[in-house]
Amino acid sequence: MNLAEKLVMERRARLAAERMLDQKQRELFAANQKLALHARSLSDQIVEQRQVVQVVRSEAAALKGENTRFQSDLERAHSAAVMAERRLWDSFETIKDGFAVFDPNLNLVAANRSYLSLFDGLPEVRPGVGYQTILRLAAEEGLIEIAPLSAEEWCLDMLKRWLVNPIESRVVQLYNGEYVKLIDRRARDGDTVCLAYNITETIMREAELQEAQATAEAANRAKSAFLANMSHEIRTPMNGVVGMAELLCETPLTEEQKLYAETIRSSGEALLVIINDVLDYSKIEAQKLVLYPEPFDLERCIHEVTMLLQPRAHAKGIELLIDFDIFLPTRFVGDPGRIRQVLTNLIGNAVKFTEKGHVLIRVVGFEMAPGMRDLRVTVEDTGIGIPGKYLEHIFGEFNQVEDQSNRKFEGTGLGLAITKQLIDLMEGEVWVDSEEGAGSSFGFKLSLPVAEDTDEMEAAPILPRSALIVDDQIINRSVLERQLKTYGLDVVACRSGAEALAALGTTPAIDVVLTDCQLPDMDGIVLAVRIASIAPGVPILLFAPNPGEIRAAMAEADLACIAGFLQKPILRSDLVRRLKALAVPAPVVVEAAPVGVRTMRVLAAEDNRTNQLVFRKMVKELDIELLIANNGVEAVELYQSFCPDMIFMDISMPEMDGRDATRAIRAIEAESGSPRVPVVALTAHAMDGDADGILAAGLDFYLTKPLRKALICERIVALCPPDARKPRSSDVDEDLAEAG
């Protein structure tokens, strides 16, 4: 190989080396670029990691601070909880009642010293012991009075008690005589919290209260017995006083003697009112008063009360008026005796405190439910009225308005209190409106069932189509006018006789005239005479408070035009019946007594000589054969020999009282098969329950002393057998009519 070839080969090798160097340089440059990029990226990552590390370090420092704070708070809370638990248990330790907590497995968790002391320091009773073990220890050690149960039965009973939720409280007696009430409650987490409450003082106090109650009840029974005895002791002589005074008033007397006799009778009746008020108040106070609902006629009940008070009102010159809602039924179901007592109190007070004018009894009603009426009864008067400052307490016990205007009126102050309590007992309301010097309005509301009301006169029509009313009282005119218009009559109302005569001259036809017997310009008889001369044949009905006055005036005048009379206040049913009777004159039937009819036999058993005399005088006008027995033994003997048609039996008699005598008579009747003879009790007892005891002894009827002539005669007439002559006389008929 020559030099040239060597040089060529060298040059080629150099060129190849240069190309290789250039390529390696490019590769090195590219590698350096990649390395620079990677170094830059790595540097950025290092920066980021440093920031993250700083954040983590900062958060770690914060968490470490929070953890320290949490640990501090936890330690403080734990200390507070320990302190609260210690305070709680210290509190439980200070109370005298036992306190304990049991876990869901009925094991004792904790208890205060009072609870543990119940077990007399038994070491077995400590935290961790089971409830059943505690029961067994208490029973076996005699810590609890468990008789008559055995220890096993008692433990089983107490354990069963815990299985019910809520747990029933239980009272147990400890060995030392103390009483503990166990009150157990189930907690939400299943624990049971127990409280052993010492009620020894409460039990002792209850025993003392029971003893005091027994003493009070004994005292109340003694008071009731005292009142019953006092009632009997007072009523027995009062029967003689009032009865004799009543009989004395019927005899010929001078005006002065009649005044004395009337004073004796009215004073005796006033004393009886006081006795009745005291007895009723005593019964209401002892909650012994019982209502006896029955069907009754409310309008007739009001009318009967007004008739009883009519003489007193007539003597003072005041009118008693009744405005009974024409669309309201009259028969209801209630206690008529107590309703009559309420009406007597309210109407009697109105008459008592009214010197002139009128007393109006107004009755309205609303149907609140089918068969029920909401009744409102008001008693309005034109009396002295009540000052406003006294209205709030007017229904209180022994409350009376003490001022110059009513100082002359006497009373017990119990009437309105009894009225309110009776209305409250009947679930009603009572109220009063009054203005001093302008009268008062007392009222009450009752809800009563409607009784079946059948009107036997409903079939007969009212033929008069027009009526003339003459009365100087505008209230009376308006009440009558409204009632007659309801029944379809055309009514002309006048306030004087002259006005009535003038109306007759201008009115084409009048079918009936209703006029008051006392008018300011002329009386009813004079008016009737003048009407008969102007309009002959027109029937005239007179009305006045006293029917005796009307009958006497009619007998003197002997007027055929006077068709009859009505007693004021006018009863709606009487008014309708009288108007219907004008259409068809009732035939006069004279009953001839059958030949040979015997006299009615009456036996009266009464040990008091004065009462015997009173009874004889009361029935002297009756056509009866009367025998008097001095005691129960004589009554039984005379029953067998005299064979009476009825017996009046005094309850309190020596040797044999009325109850025993009646039982003996009933036994004789049962043994011999004799018909039952009616026996009417005569008694001075008036306490609640007396009537039930008397009627249970076999007596049929019940009358309270002092006896009333009208009631005695009414009972004899009602019990007269068919084969005996009617014992009535004309005087007795008048007495019964005036009694209502």
Side-chain angles (χ1 to χ4, degrees), residues 466-523:
S466 61
L468 174 65
I469 299 173
V470 189
D471 196 307
D472 59 320
Q473 289 283 341
I474 185 173
I475 295 180
N476 211 21
R477 291 200 307 272
S478 63
V479 170
L480 279 172
E481 183 177 2
R482 186 169 63 252
Q483 290 178 341
L484 294 179
K485 284 184 175 180
T486 304
Y487 285 104
L489 277 74
D490 295 327
V491 180
V492 176
C494 302
R495 60 185 175 183
S496 66
E499 189 176 331
L501 294 173
L504 280 173
T506 57
T507 305
I510 292 293
D511 295 331
V512 63
V513 176
L514 296 94
T515 177
D516 191 3
C517 202
Q518 296 177 344
L519 296 171
D521 56 346
M522 66 182 74
D523 64 24

Side-chain angles (χ1 to χ4, degrees), residues 299-307 322 567 569-571 574:
E299 186 180 17
R300 185 166 294 276
C301 180
I302 296 173
H303 192 265
E304 290 171 353
V305 172
T306 56
M307 287 302 97
I322 299 176
Q567 187 169 17
I570 300 173
L571 189 63
D574 288 346

Side-chain angles (χ1 to χ4, degrees), residues 125-231:
V125 181
R126 61 182 183 276
V129 67
Y131 181 66
Q132 189 171 3
T133 303
I134 294 177
L135 293 176
R136 180 178 54 80
L137 288 171
E140 292 178 351
E141 295 294 332
L143 303 178
I144 306 291
E145 294 290 340
I146 63 174
L149 300 177
S150 65
E152 184 178 354
E153 290 172 339
W154 184 80
C155 292
L156 182 61
D157 179 59
M158 294 293 290
L159 192 60
K160 285 170 58 179
R161 169 177 159 270
W162 264 37
L163 300 179
V164 180
N165 194 19
I167 304 172
E168 182 184 1
S169 60
R170 180 71 59 86
V171 176
V172 297
Q173 183 179 5
L174 304 181
Y175 67 96
N176 57 4
E178 295 184 348
Y179 290 88
V180 174
K181 185 174 184 179
L182 303 177
I183 302 174
D184 305 320
R185 293 291 182 269
R186 198 85 66 206
R188 285 177 294 182
D189 56 1
D191 289 350
T192 302
V193 179
C194 306
L195 179 65
Y197 181 52
N198 194 313
I199 59 171
T200 304
E201 293 184 4
T202 304
I203 295 292
M204 294 176 63
R205 192 177 302 111
E206 288 179 356
E208 293 174 356
L209 289 175
Q210 289 176 357
E211 183 179 356
Q213 182 180 2
T215 304
E217 290 175 352
N220 188 55
R221 287 192 297 270
K223 182 189 73 173
S224 299
F226 170 76
L227 287 174
N229 291 331
M230 286 301 297
S231 167

Side-chain angles (χ1 to χ4, degrees), residues 447-726:
S447 295
L448 297 178
V450 178
E452 187 176 358
D453 196 5
T454 57
D455 189 357
E456 59 182 8
M457 297 290 291
E458 194 65 32
I462 297 179
L463 291 188
R465 306 313 304 165
S466 61
L468 174 65
I469 299 173
V470 189
D471 196 307
D472 59 320
Q473 289 283 341
I474 185 173
I475 295 180
N476 211 21
R477 291 200 307 272
S478 63
V479 170
L480 279 172
E481 183 177 2
R482 186 169 63 252
Q483 290 178 341
L484 294 179
K485 284 184 175 180
T486 304
Y487 285 104
L489 277 74
D490 295 327
V491 180
V492 176
C494 302
R495 60 185 175 183
S496 66
E499 189 176 331
L501 294 173
L504 280 173
T506 57
T507 305
I510 292 293
D511 295 331
V512 63
V513 176
L514 296 94
T515 177
D516 191 3
C517 202
Q518 296 177 344
L519 296 171
D521 56 346
M522 66 182 74
D523 64 24
I525 300 299
V526 174
L527 178 62
V529 172
R530 301 195 51 185
I531 290 175
S533 63
I534 297 174
V538 175
I540 300 173
L541 295 176
L542 295 175
F543 51 84
N546 189 347
E549 293 179 2
I550 301 179
R551 280 197 293 269
M554 286 176 61
E556 268 184 42
D558 194 18
L559 295 177
C561 63
I562 297 179
F565 65 89
L566 293 167
Q567 187 169 17
K568 296 175 67 176
I570 300 173
L571 189 63
R572 184 180 60 177
S573 58
D574 288 346
L575 173 63
V576 174
R577 187 178 295 107
R578 181 67 66 178
L579 292 175
K580 289 179 178 179
L582 294 177
V584 182
V588 179
V589 179
V590 179
E591 295 183 359
V595 179
V597 173
R598 64 178 179 81
T599 305
M600 181 181 180
R601 296 184 294 270
V602 177
L603 173 63
E606 171 64 65
D607 65 304
N608 187 280
R609 297 292 181 183
T610 302
N611 289 344
Q612 290 178 7
L613 178 59
V614 171
F615 191 90
R616 286 184 185 275
K617 294 295 184 181
M618 283 182 172
V619 301
K620 68 178 181 179
E621 297 165 354
L622 293 179
D623 182 17
I624 61 172
E625 184 179 355
L626 175 65
L627 284 184
I628 301 289
N630 295 306
N631 52 57
V633 175
E634 287 188 18
V636 177
E637 294 174 352
L638 287 175
Y639 161 75
Q640 299 178 78
S641 60
F642 182 55
C643 298
D645 296 309
M646 69 169 297
I647 301 173
F648 286 98
M649 185 72 73
D650 187 21
I651 296 303
S652 298
M653 292 186 294
E655 297 189 37
M656 178 184 288
D657 65 18
R659 293 185 182 87
D660 292 338
T662 304
R663 292 190 187 99
I665 291 172
R666 297 301 182 217
I668 295 172
E669 291 174 344
E671 185 178 350
S672 62
S674 303
R676 181 185 178 97
V677 60
V679 181
V680 180
L682 303 179
T683 178
H685 290 283
M687 292 300 291
D688 192 42
D690 290 337
D692 295 337
I694 290 172
L695 297 179
L699 292 98
D700 302 288
F701 304 98
Y702 180 90
L703 294 178
T704 304
K705 295 178 180 179
L707 304 178
R708 302 293 184 188
K709 178 180 176 180
L711 295 178
I712 293 292
C713 296
E714 179 184 6
R715 186 58 60 191
I716 293 175
V717 171
L719 296 178
C720 180
D723 62 336
R725 288 194 303 272
K726 289 296 182 183

Side-chain angles (χ1 to χ4, degrees), residues 244-352:
M244 280 297 187
E246 184 177 1
L247 294 172
L248 183 60
C249 291
E250 297 176 359
T251 62
L253 300 172
T254 65
E255 289 298 322
E256 186 177 11
Q257 290 170 336
K258 190 173 182 179
L259 174 63
Y260 295 160
E262 289 288 352
T263 303
I264 294 172
R265 184 174 65 174
S266 61
S267 298
E269 290 176 347
L271 178 59
L272 288 173
V273 170
I274 296 173
I275 295 172
N276 291 334
D277 283 349
V278 172
L279 291 174
D280 282 338
Y281 183 75
S282 176
K283 286 185 283 187
I284 295 172
E285 183 187 43
Q287 298 181 347
K288 297 293 184 181
L289 192 142
V290 180
L291 299 177
Y292 297 98
E294 62 181 58
F296 75 104
D297 191 314
L298 177 60
E299 186 180 17
R300 185 166 294 276
C301 180
I302 296 173
H303 192 265
E304 290 171 353
V305 172
T306 56
M307 287 302 97
L308 290 174
L309 297 170
Q310 186 70 267
R312 194 188 311 170
H314 184 63
K316 300 176 72 173
I318 62 176
E319 290 269 4
L320 286 181
L321 307 173
I322 299 176
D323 183 7
F324 198 98
D325 188 351
I326 197 72
F327 299 106
L328 190 66
T330 62
R331 290 184 58 78
F332 299 92
V333 177
D335 189 328
R338 294 305 173 184
I339 292 176
R340 187 178 290 108
Q341 183 177 358
V342 169
L343 290 169
T344 302
N345 283 340
L346 296 182
I347 302 174
N349 268 1
V351 173
K352 177 180 178 181

